[in-house]
Amino acid sequence: MFRTVAGESALLSLQTFGRPDGKDMVFRISGSVFANVPGNTLDSAMRHGQKLFNVEGYNIRRLYRVPGTNQLYQLSREIVFYTDPTDPTRIVREWKNPVDGRTYPVVPINNDAVNFGPFPITPSYQGPPLVRLHDETVWTSDIPVRADLGATLGERFGLVGGVYTAQEMFDFSVDGREVAARAVPGTVPRGAMETKVSWARTSPWAPFMCLAETEVRGGLTYHARGWSLDSYDDVEPWLRAAVEADHPRFASAPAEPGPSENSWTSFHNKQLGKGATTWAAWCAANGRS
């Protein structure tokens, strides 16, 4: 099916969704998380722009073709640990909330799954607009997130109106050598395309922080970079060890399509037992003075 795609943009963007051979590939993620506090109103407890965490993890993904059709999915899981702001390899297990003075367990980003599709693959399939910058080909994906969790989950998480709003912003870049080798119509490239990603996200306070958006004005800014790896085996040993100890499902991509999660629905499913308890009750039970 990959051989039927002809456009350069289509060929390149498909290879960020997954390897053409359908095997797992990884986008490694590394960056930082900052407090975004309008008016600096939480100073000196938490000043605007303060680096709260590093983030280290990955998204593991594969392409899945619906049998007997031209319908394609991207199937993935993503695990990203919050780590020490001065040591990216030291995973943070607890965080002291500077507003209420209580210490809470840190829950990593562990979305199982993050799926996209189905989308039909035909000779007319088109990718995003491309831009040439020096020797690199670049394209952008900006995703405004709006999810009424109060309506869909019955849990408002202290969000304004019970609605989770965020902005996910990605820049993908591939150098000229890779473009020349991998954007050739009628061929099926081997392995994962060497791709670099810039990722930024603005979002409410993470749910484990137990800061209600309705009461504590502000949120988080994530700024990270990513790069493709050919397989899970190429992830650094310290990170694989952390995954295999506590989150072994994230060593591979899903085998078939299913519902997706984000940080809030994942927290609802796992920490809140799909509504068996509330976010406020979890915070009350898990905060340590």
Coordinates of all heavy atoms in Angstrom, one line a residue, residues 213-265:
E213 N -7.7 24.6 38.6 CA -7.6 25.8 37.7 C -8.6 26.9 38.1 O -8.3 28.0 37.9 CB -7.9 25.3 36.3 CG -7.7 26.3 35.2 CD -8.0 25.8 33.9 OE1 -9.1 25.2 33.7 OE2 -7.2 26.0 32.9
T214 N -9.7 26.5 38.7 CA -10.7 27.5 39.1 C -10.3 28.3 40.3 O -10.8 29.4 40.6 CB -12.0 26.8 39.5 OG1 -11.8 25.7 40.4 CG2 -12.7 26.1 38.2
E215 N -9.3 27.8 41.1 CA -8.8 28.5 42.3 C -7.4 29.0 42.2 O -7.1 30.0 42.8 CB -8.9 27.5 43.5 CG -10.3 27.0 43.7 CD -10.3 25.9 44.8 OE1 -9.3 25.6 45.4 OE2 -11.4 25.3 45.1
V216 N -6.6 28.3 41.4 CA -5.2 28.7 41.3 C -4.9 29.1 39.9 O -4.7 28.2 39.0 CB -4.2 27.6 41.8 CG1 -2.8 28.1 41.7 CG2 -4.6 27.2 43.2
R217 N -4.9 30.4 39.6 CA -4.8 30.8 38.2 C -3.4 30.5 37.6 O -2.4 30.8 38.3 CB -5.0 32.3 38.1 CG -5.1 32.8 36.7 CD -5.4 34.3 36.6 NE -5.5 34.8 35.3 CZ -5.3 36.1 34.9 NH1 -5.1 37.0 35.9 NH2 -5.4 36.4 33.7
G218 N -3.4 29.8 36.5 CA -2.1 29.4 35.9 C -2.2 28.1 35.3 O -3.2 27.5 35.1
G219 N -1.0 27.5 34.9 CA -0.9 26.2 34.3 C 0.5 25.9 34.0 O 1.5 26.5 34.6
L220 N 0.7 25.0 33.0 CA 2.0 24.5 32.7 C 2.4 24.8 31.2 O 1.5 24.8 30.3 CB 2.1 23.0 32.9 CG 1.9 22.5 34.4 CD1 1.9 21.0 34.4 CD2 2.9 23.1 35.3
T221 N 3.7 25.0 31.0 CA 4.2 25.1 29.6 C 5.3 24.0 29.5 O 6.2 24.0 30.2 CB 4.8 26.5 29.3 OG1 3.8 27.5 29.4 CG2 5.4 26.5 27.9
Y222 N 5.1 23.1 28.5 CA 6.0 22.1 28.2 C 6.8 22.5 27.0 O 6.3 23.0 26.0 CB 5.3 20.8 27.8 CG 4.6 20.2 29.0 CD1 3.4 20.7 29.5 CD2 5.0 19.0 29.6 CE1 2.7 20.1 30.5 CE2 4.3 18.4 30.6 CZ 3.1 19.0 31.0 OH 2.4 18.4 32.0
H223 N 8.2 22.4 27.0 CA 9.0 22.7 25.9 C 10.0 21.5 25.7 O 10.8 21.3 26.6 CB 9.8 24.0 26.1 CG 10.6 24.4 24.9 ND1 11.7 25.1 25.0 CD2 10.4 24.2 23.6 CE1 12.2 25.4 23.8 NE2 11.5 24.8 22.9
A224 N 9.9 20.8 24.6 CA 10.7 19.6 24.5 C 11.1 19.4 23.0 O 10.6 20.0 22.1 CB 9.9 18.4 25.0
R225 N 12.1 18.5 22.9 CA 12.5 18.1 21.5 C 12.3 16.5 21.5 O 12.3 15.8 22.5 CB 13.9 18.5 21.2 CG 15.0 17.8 21.9 CD 15.7 18.6 23.0 NE 15.1 19.8 23.4 CZ 14.8 20.1 24.7 NH1 15.0 19.1 25.6 NH2 14.2 21.2 25.0
G226 N 12.2 16.1 20.2 CA 12.0 14.6 20.0 C 12.8 14.2 18.8 O 13.2 15.0 18.0
W227 N 13.1 12.9 18.8 CA 13.9 12.3 17.7 C 13.5 10.9 17.5 O 13.1 10.2 18.5 CB 15.4 12.5 17.9 CG 15.9 11.8 19.1 CD1 16.5 10.6 19.2 CD2 16.0 12.4 20.4 NE1 16.9 10.3 20.5 CE2 16.6 11.4 21.2 CE3 15.5 13.6 21.0 CZ2 16.8 11.6 22.6 CZ3 15.7 13.8 22.4 CH2 16.4 12.8 23.1
S228 N 13.5 10.4 16.3 CA 13.0 9.1 16.0 C 14.1 8.1 16.3 O 15.3 8.3 16.2 CB 12.7 9.0 14.5 OG 13.8 9.3 13.7
L229 N 13.7 6.9 16.7 CA 14.5 5.7 17.0 C 14.0 4.6 16.2 O 12.7 4.4 16.1 CB 14.6 5.4 18.5 CG 15.2 6.5 19.4 CD1 15.1 6.1 20.9 CD2 16.7 6.8 19.1
D230 N 14.8 3.7 15.8 CA 14.4 2.6 14.9 C 13.5 1.6 15.7 O 12.6 0.9 15.1 CB 15.6 1.8 14.4 CG 15.4 1.3 13.0 OD1 14.7 2.1 12.2 OD2 15.8 0.2 12.7
S231 N 13.7 1.4 17.0 CA 12.9 0.5 17.8 C 13.1 0.8 19.3 O 13.9 1.6 19.7 CB 13.4 -1.0 17.5 OG 14.7 -1.2 18.1
Y232 N 12.3 0.0 20.1 CA 12.4 0.2 21.5 C 13.8 -0.1 22.0 O 14.2 0.4 23.0 CB 11.3 -0.8 22.1 CG 11.4 -0.9 23.7 CD1 10.9 0.2 24.5 CD2 11.9 -2.0 24.3 CE1 11.0 0.1 25.8 CE2 12.0 -2.1 25.7 CZ 11.5 -1.0 26.4 OH 11.6 -1.1 27.8
D233 N 14.5 -1.1 21.4 CA 15.8 -1.4 21.8 C 16.8 -0.3 21.8 O 17.8 -0.3 22.5 CB 16.4 -2.6 21.0 CG 15.6 -3.9 21.2 OD1 15.0 -4.0 22.3 OD2 15.7 -4.8 20.3
D234 N 16.5 0.8 21.1 CA 17.4 1.9 21.0 C 17.2 3.0 22.1 O 17.9 3.9 22.2 CB 17.2 2.6 19.6 CG 17.7 1.7 18.5 OD1 18.7 1.0 18.6 OD2 17.0 1.7 17.4
V235 N 16.1 2.8 22.9 CA 15.9 3.6 24.1 C 17.0 3.4 25.1 O 17.4 2.2 25.3 CB 14.5 3.4 24.7 CG1 14.3 4.2 25.9 CG2 13.4 3.7 23.6
E236 N 17.5 4.4 25.8 CA 18.5 4.3 26.8 C 18.2 3.3 27.9 O 17.0 3.2 28.3 CB 18.9 5.6 27.4 CG 19.2 6.7 26.5 CD 18.0 7.7 26.2 OE1 17.0 7.1 25.7 OE2 18.2 8.9 26.4
P237 N 19.2 2.5 28.3 CA 18.9 1.5 29.4 C 18.2 2.0 30.6 O 17.3 1.3 31.1 CB 20.3 1.0 29.7 CG 21.1 1.2 28.4 CD 20.6 2.5 27.9
W238 N 18.5 3.2 31.1 CA 17.9 3.7 32.3 C 16.4 3.9 32.2 O 15.6 3.6 33.1 CB 18.6 5.0 32.8 CG 18.2 6.2 32.1 CD1 18.9 6.8 31.0 CD2 17.1 7.1 32.3 NE1 18.3 7.9 30.6 CE2 17.2 8.1 31.3 CE3 16.0 7.1 33.2 CZ2 16.2 9.2 31.3 CZ3 15.1 8.1 33.2 CH2 15.2 9.1 32.2
L239 N 16.0 4.4 31.0 CA 14.6 4.6 30.7 C 13.9 3.3 30.5 O 12.8 3.2 31.0 CB 14.5 5.6 29.5 CG 13.2 6.1 29.1 CD1 12.5 6.7 30.3 CD2 13.3 7.2 28.0
R240 N 14.5 2.4 29.7 CA 13.9 1.1 29.6 C 13.7 0.4 30.9 O 12.6 -0.2 31.1 CB 14.7 0.2 28.6 CG 14.7 0.6 27.2 CD 15.1 -0.5 26.3 NE 16.2 -1.3 26.7 CZ 17.5 -1.1 26.5 NH1 17.8 -0.1 25.7 NH2 18.4 -1.9 26.9
A241 N 14.6 0.5 31.8 CA 14.5 -0.1 33.1 C 13.3 0.4 33.9 O 12.6 -0.3 34.6 CB 15.8 0.0 33.9
A242 N 13.1 1.8 33.8 CA 12.0 2.4 34.5 C 10.7 1.9 34.0 O 9.7 1.7 34.7 CB 12.1 3.9 34.5
V243 N 10.6 1.8 32.6 CA 9.4 1.3 32.0 C 9.1 -0.1 32.4 O 8.0 -0.5 32.7 CB 9.5 1.5 30.5 CG1 8.4 0.8 29.7 CG2 9.5 3.0 30.1
E244 N 10.1 -0.9 32.2 CA 9.9 -2.4 32.5 C 9.6 -2.7 33.9 O 8.9 -3.7 34.2 CB 11.1 -3.2 32.0 CG 11.2 -3.1 30.5 CD 12.6 -3.4 29.9 OE1 13.4 -4.0 30.7 OE2 12.9 -3.1 28.8
A245 N 10.0 -1.8 34.9 CA 9.7 -2.1 36.3 C 8.3 -1.7 36.6 O 7.6 -2.5 37.4 CB 10.7 -1.2 37.1
D246 N 7.7 -0.6 36.1 CA 6.4 -0.2 36.5 C 5.4 0.0 35.4 O 4.2 0.0 35.7 CB 6.6 1.2 37.2 CG 7.4 1.1 38.4 OD1 7.3 0.2 39.2 OD2 8.3 2.0 38.6
H247 N 5.8 0.0 34.1 CA 4.9 0.2 33.0 C 5.2 -0.6 31.8 O 5.5 -0.2 30.7 CB 4.9 1.7 32.6 CG 4.7 2.7 33.7 ND1 3.4 3.0 34.1 CD2 5.5 3.3 34.6 CE1 3.5 3.9 35.1 NE2 4.7 4.1 35.4
P248 N 5.3 -2.0 32.0 CA 5.8 -2.9 31.0 C 5.0 -2.8 29.7 O 5.5 -3.1 28.6 CB 5.8 -4.2 31.6 CG 4.8 -4.1 32.7 CD 4.9 -2.7 33.2
R249 N 3.7 -2.4 29.7 CA 2.9 -2.4 28.5 C 3.5 -1.4 27.5 O 3.3 -1.5 26.3 CB 1.4 -2.0 28.8 CG 0.6 -3.1 29.4 CD -0.8 -2.6 29.8 NE -1.5 -2.2 28.7 CZ -2.2 -2.9 27.9 NH1 -2.2 -4.2 28.0 NH2 -3.0 -2.4 26.9
F250 N 4.2 -0.4 28.0 CA 4.7 0.7 27.1 C 6.0 0.3 26.4 O 6.7 1.1 25.8 CB 4.9 1.9 28.0 CG 3.6 2.5 28.4 CD1 2.9 2.0 29.5 CD2 3.0 3.6 27.7 CE1 1.7 2.5 29.9 CE2 1.8 4.1 28.1 CZ 1.1 3.6 29.2
A251 N 6.4 -1.0 26.5 CA 7.5 -1.5 25.7 C 7.1 -1.8 24.3 O 8.0 -2.1 23.4 CB 8.1 -2.7 26.4
S252 N 5.9 -1.7 23.9 CA 5.4 -2.0 22.6 C 4.2 -1.1 22.3 O 3.5 -0.6 23.2 CB 5.1 -3.5 22.4 OG 4.0 -3.8 23.3
A253 N 3.9 -1.0 21.0 CA 2.7 -0.3 20.5 C 1.5 -1.2 20.6 O 1.7 -2.4 20.7 CB 2.9 0.2 19.1
P254 N 0.3 -0.7 20.6 CA -0.9 -1.5 20.6 C -0.9 -2.4 19.4 O -0.4 -2.1 18.3 CB -2.1 -0.5 20.6 CG -1.5 0.8 21.1 CD -0.1 0.8 20.7
A255 N -1.6 -3.5 19.5 CA -1.7 -4.5 18.4 C -2.9 -4.2 17.5 O -2.9 -4.6 16.3 CB -1.8 -5.9 18.9
E256 N -3.9 -3.4 18.0 CA -5.1 -3.1 17.2 C -5.7 -1.8 17.7 O -5.4 -1.4 18.8 CB -6.1 -4.3 17.2 CG -6.5 -4.6 18.6 CD -7.4 -5.9 18.7 OE1 -7.3 -6.7 17.8 OE2 -8.2 -6.0 19.7
P257 N -6.6 -1.2 16.9 CA -7.2 0.1 17.3 C -8.0 -0.1 18.5 O -8.6 -1.1 18.8 CB -8.0 0.4 16.0 CG -7.4 -0.3 14.9 CD -6.9 -1.6 15.5
G258 N -8.1 1.0 19.2 CA -8.9 1.1 20.4 C -9.0 2.6 20.9 O -8.5 3.5 20.2
P259 N -9.7 2.8 22.0 CA -9.9 4.2 22.5 C -8.6 4.8 22.9 O -7.6 4.1 23.3 CB -10.9 4.1 23.6 CG -10.8 2.6 24.1 CD -10.4 1.8 22.8
S260 N -8.5 6.1 22.8 CA -7.3 6.9 23.1 C -7.4 7.5 24.5 O -8.5 7.7 25.0 CB -7.0 8.0 22.1 OG -6.6 7.4 20.9
E261 N -6.3 7.9 25.1 CA -6.3 8.6 26.4 C -5.4 9.8 26.2 O -4.5 9.9 25.4 CB -5.6 7.7 27.5 CG -6.4 6.5 27.9 CD -5.7 5.8 29.1 OE1 -4.5 5.8 29.1 OE2 -6.5 5.2 29.9
N262 N -5.7 10.8 27.1 CA -4.8 11.9 27.4 C -4.5 11.9 28.9 O -4.9 11.0 29.6 CB -5.4 13.3 26.9 CG -6.7 13.6 27.6 OD1 -6.9 13.4 28.8 ND2 -7.7 14.1 26.9
S263 N -3.7 12.9 29.3 CA -3.3 12.8 30.7 C -4.5 12.8 31.7 O -4.4 12.2 32.8 CB -2.4 14.1 31.0 OG -1.2 14.0 30.3
W264 N -5.5 13.5 31.3 CA -6.7 13.6 32.3 C -7.5 12.3 32.2 O -8.0 11.8 33.2 CB -7.5 14.8 31.9 CG -7.0 16.0 32.6 CD1 -7.5 16.6 33.7 CD2 -5.8 16.7 32.3 NE1 -6.7 17.7 34.1 CE2 -5.6 17.8 33.3 CE3 -4.8 16.6 31.3 CZ2 -4.5 18.7 33.2 CZ3 -3.7 17.5 31.3 CH2 -3.6 18.5 32.2
T265 N -7.8 11.8 31.0 CA -8.6 10.6 31.0 C -7.8 9.4 31.5 O -8.4 8.5 32.1 CB -9.1 10.3 29.5 OG1 -8.0 10.2 28.6 CG2 -10.0 11.4 29.0

